[in-house]
């Protein structure tokens, strides 16, 4: 890198909150399958603690040597519904507890993959895993789960949509904060390093290193220098900034992969905000020219941002993957929180925004008495956006038990807090009760 690029990167780290949001090691568990559940779990524990034994140490070394903050060290595993199906256990809570023990032993922040892929129907382990989610996630602190209910090739499994609305409610009844560990997807990707939706896909190598970058503050600071200039200049500025940020992510990923003797997978380009001031996607949109996120023009500004980030990133890295876009979680973005609290942003506008960015209705709090069918309707709407537009969408919604609209629920740390948002009071219950499968869209039939 040229001297100026190095100095720019140092400034981005020290002044503009640039960091590596996560180094995630993906680990296949297919060689741990056993008809004896206890033996399978022992194999899983041994493989995780052996494969990732140096993950935290290497990440800390890189952070110390190069001065690049690495916020999280994480693991993703093969969807547990596939691994546990052979054992015929009545529930899979013990698998989540095994994942938790391994994460604690290794010192990683989170471990993802308590997951099921049911976009076209249920296989033998899927129903058991989904039924186990409330207990499993409420009894563990580092385990994350996800369920994929739709895809462009398969359509939307409305039976799973109905079930997941109830699962979210059941989990919230135990502990609403645990809902931040559960994501419902359409078109879930196999190499996502970000939680709560990370799992290690069946097409991946046995072990792989994936990197998730951050940098909303860097983009905002760059746009401050081109105020009043044309949208073309805005796009070009974002592209150049994304290039620099992604270069850093690729560098860290390559170094980590070499030291761990594990293949380097992808860099996820997603702008991942935090509740800290100056580290907000909403503030980028406002810097583009919106009085507040949620105003008319918000969707267009977000589409511009998302596209420019991807264009800059793919020029900087040979292997781009994951979700790669701009995240708009409510609780993790100080600008989004402010817009909701001032009634400038509602669920309907958020839903429109998810059509052009990553990933969906994310870290959204609703009143604790919101019916399960309404949550299923939210899941169905987001799945439809993903399936029709051939993109990943998701719902991570938190029914705030005992709280009403206008109150807030605190998650702590980088997860922030979420104001409880109003939902449309009209019920989709009769539609959700139909079940069945929404067919794949006509443009899915490409071969």
């Amino acid at each position: 890198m040229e001297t100026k690029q190095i100095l720019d990167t140092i400034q981005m780290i020290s002044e503009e909150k640039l960091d590596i949001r996560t180094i995630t090691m993906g680990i296949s568990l297919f060689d741990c399958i056993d008809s004896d559940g206890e033996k399978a779990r022992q194999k899983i524990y041994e493989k995780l603690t052996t494969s990732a034994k140096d993950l935290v140490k290497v990440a800390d070394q890189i952070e110390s040597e190069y001065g690049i903050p690495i916020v999280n060290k994480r693991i993703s595993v093969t969807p547990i519904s596939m691994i546990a199906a052979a054992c015929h256990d009545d529930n899979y809570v013990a698998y989540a507890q095994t994942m938790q023990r391994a994460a604690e032993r290794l010192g990683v922040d989170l471990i993802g993959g308590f997951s099921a892929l049911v976009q076209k129907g249920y296989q033998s382990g899927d129903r058991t895993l989904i039924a186990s989610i409330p207990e499993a996630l409420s009894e563990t602190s580092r385990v994350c789960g996800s369920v994929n209910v739709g895809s462009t090739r398969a359509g939307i499994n409305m039976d799973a949509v109905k079930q997941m609305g109830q699962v979210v409610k059941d989990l919230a009844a135990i502990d609403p904060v645990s809902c931040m560990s559960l994501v419902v997807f359409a078109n879930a990707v196999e190499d996502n390093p970000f939680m709560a939706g990370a799992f290690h896909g069946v097409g991946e190598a046995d072990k792989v290193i994936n990197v998730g970058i951050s940098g909303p503050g860097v983009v905002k600071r760059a746009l401050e220098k081109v105020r009043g200039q044309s949208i073309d200049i805005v796009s070009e500025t974002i592209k150049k900034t994304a290039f620099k940020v992604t270069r850093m992510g690729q560098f860290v990923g390559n170094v980590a992969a070499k030291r761990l003797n594990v293949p380097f997978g992808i860099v996820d380009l997603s702008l991942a905000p935090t509740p800290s001031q100056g580290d907000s996607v909403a503030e980028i949109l406002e810097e583009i020219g919106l009085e507040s996120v949620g105003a008319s023009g918000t969707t267009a500004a977000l589409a511009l941002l998302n596209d420019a980030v991807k264009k800059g990133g793919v020029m900087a890295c040979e292997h781009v993957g994951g979700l790669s876009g701009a995240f708009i979680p409510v609780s993790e973005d100080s600008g989004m929180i402010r817009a909701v609290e001032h009634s400038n942003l509602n669920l309907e506008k958020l839903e429109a925004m998810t059509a052009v960015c990553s990933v969906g209705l994310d870290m959204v709090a609703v009143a604790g008495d919101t019916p399960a069918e309404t949550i299923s309707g939210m899941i169905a709407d987001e799945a439809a956006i993903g399936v029709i537009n051939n993109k990943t969408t998701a719902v991570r919604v938190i029914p705030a038990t005992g709280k009403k609209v206008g109150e807030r629920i605190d998650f702590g740390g980088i997860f922030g807090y979420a104001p409880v948002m109003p939902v449309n009071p009209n019920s989709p219950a009769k539609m959700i009760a139909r079940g069945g499968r929404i067919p794949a869209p006509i443009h899915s039939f490409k071969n």
Side-chain angles (χ1 to χ4, degrees):
M1 294 178 70
E2 297 177 0
T3 302
K4 183 179 184 305
Q5 290 177 304
I6 295 172
L7 293 174
D8 285 347
T9 303
I10 292 171
Q11 181 182 4
M12 287 190 288
I13 293 169
S14 62
E15 299 179 14
E16 299 166 11
K17 302 184 184 298
L18 177 62
D19 57 47
I20 298 297
R21 186 53 46 86
T22 178
I23 290 180
T24 301
M25 178 181 282
I27 302 174
S28 172
L29 299 182
F30 279 117
D31 53 353
C32 301
I33 291 174
D34 198 292
S35 59
D36 184 321
E38 191 170 333
K39 290 181 180 178
R41 292 187 289 275
Q42 184 59 35
K43 291 179 184 178
I44 289 171
Y45 181 81
E46 290 174 358
K47 181 160 189 182
L48 292 178
T49 53
T50 301
S51 300
K53 63 184 176 62
D54 294 325
L55 176 62
V56 172
K57 181 179 74 173
V58 166
D60 289 343
Q61 287 174 350
I62 294 171
E63 187 171 12
S64 176
E65 289 176 27
Y66 297 101
I68 300 171
I70 300 173
V71 179
N72 283 284
K73 298 87 178 176
R74 298 167 173 171
I75 293 172
S76 63
V77 301
T78 312
I80 292 297
S81 65
M82 299 179 181
I83 306 305
C87 72
H88 305 295
D89 287 358
D90 292 336
N91 70 68
Y92 296 158
V93 174
Y95 283 87
Q97 293 169 337
T98 298
M99 294 165 67
Q100 174 80 12
R101 285 196 300 115
E104 291 172 345
R105 166 83 178 273
L106 294 165
V108 298
D109 300 281
L110 296 170
I111 180 168
F114 197 77
S115 306
L117 311 179
V118 295
Q119 58 267 24
K120 204 169 183 179
Y122 294 88
Q123 296 184 23
S124 58
D126 296 330
R127 293 185 188 276
T128 305
L129 182 130
I130 293 172
S132 303
I133 285 174
E135 184 180 357
L137 297 189
S138 63
E139 291 190 2
T140 56
S141 59
R142 305 191 193 194
V143 176
C144 294
S146 58
V147 177
N148 193 66
V149 299
S151 74
T152 298
R153 293 288 290 182
I156 304 172
N157 181 347
M158 292 300 290
D159 292 321
V161 168
K162 177 183 177 181
Q163 185 177 14
M164 289 311 300
Q166 188 60 54
V167 166
V168 170
K169 284 285 288 184
D170 292 344
L171 179 56
I174 301 171
D175 179 11
V177 174
S178 294
C179 291
M180 71 180 185
S181 300
L182 175 62
V183 180
V184 186
F185 275 119
N187 288 323
V189 296
E190 298 189 341
D191 54 4
N192 170 22
F194 286 107
M195 300 296 172
F199 63 86
H200 189 66
V202 298
E204 297 287 304
D206 186 61
K207 293 184 283 288
V208 69
I209 287 291
N210 296 321
V211 172
I213 59 176
S214 182
V218 179
V219 175
K220 181 179 183 294
R221 185 70 65 90
L223 291 180
E224 289 173 357
K225 300 173 183 177
V226 296
R227 284 178 180 169
Q229 299 189 43
S230 75
I231 286 293
D232 305 86
I233 300 299
V234 170
S235 177
E236 188 67 18
T237 301
I238 296 170
K239 283 164 53 181
K240 290 178 179 178
T241 306
F243 180 91
K244 293 178 184 178
V245 172
T246 307
R247 274 290 199 206
M248 188 186 76
Q250 179 177 252
F251 171 76
V252 169
N254 279 323
V255 172
K258 184 176 181 180
R259 293 186 183 183
L260 291 164
N261 195 29
V262 170
F264 170 58
I266 57 92
V267 174
D268 187 312
L269 309 177
S270 300
L271 295 181
T274 72
S276 301
Q277 292 296 321
D279 199 25
S280 162
V281 170
E283 290 177 6
I284 297 174
L285 303 179
E286 291 166 0
E287 184 61 42
I288 290 173
L290 303 172
E291 183 176 356
S292 169
V293 65
S296 299
T298 296
T299 306
L302 184 58
L304 164 70
L305 172 63
N306 208 54
D307 184 60
V309 166
K310 291 181 180 181
K311 286 175 177 174
V314 296
M315 288 294 291
C317 181
E318 293 89 352
H319 300 292
V320 171
L323 301 169
S324 291
F327 287 168
I328 53 170
V330 173
S331 80
E332 298 170 24
D333 188 311
S334 59
M336 294 289 179
I337 293 170
R338 184 170 59 250
V340 172
E341 289 179 332
H342 293 170
S343 300
N344 295 328
L345 182 63
N346 57 32
L347 278 176
E348 287 74 17
K349 186 62 176 180
L350 266 176
E351 183 180 298
M353 293 163 66
T354 64
V356 297
C357 76
S358 298
V359 172
L361 295 176
D362 193 16
M363 293 297 284
V364 171
V366 297
D369 58 1
T370 303
E373 295 84 359
T374 297
I375 295 171
S376 293
M378 296 165 67
I379 294 170
D381 284 344
E382 278 300 317
I385 290 172
V387 166
I388 296 299
N389 291 298
N390 197 22
K391 70 182 292 290
T392 303
T393 51
V395 170
R396 187 161 50 151
V397 63
I398 296 93
T401 304
K403 296 185 182 292
K404 300 185 182 300
V405 173
E407 298 180 333
R408 62 186 248 183
I409 179 170
D410 288 282
F411 303 104
I414 64 171
F415 300 106
Y417 73 91
V420 177
M421 302 180 70
V423 300
N424 191 308
N426 297 288
S427 175
K430 290 182 179 179
M431 173 187 169
I432 298 302
R434 288 178 179 270
R437 182 156 58 94
I438 294 178
I442 188 66
H443 62 75
S444 69
F445 299 109
K446 298 177 181 178
N447 209 343

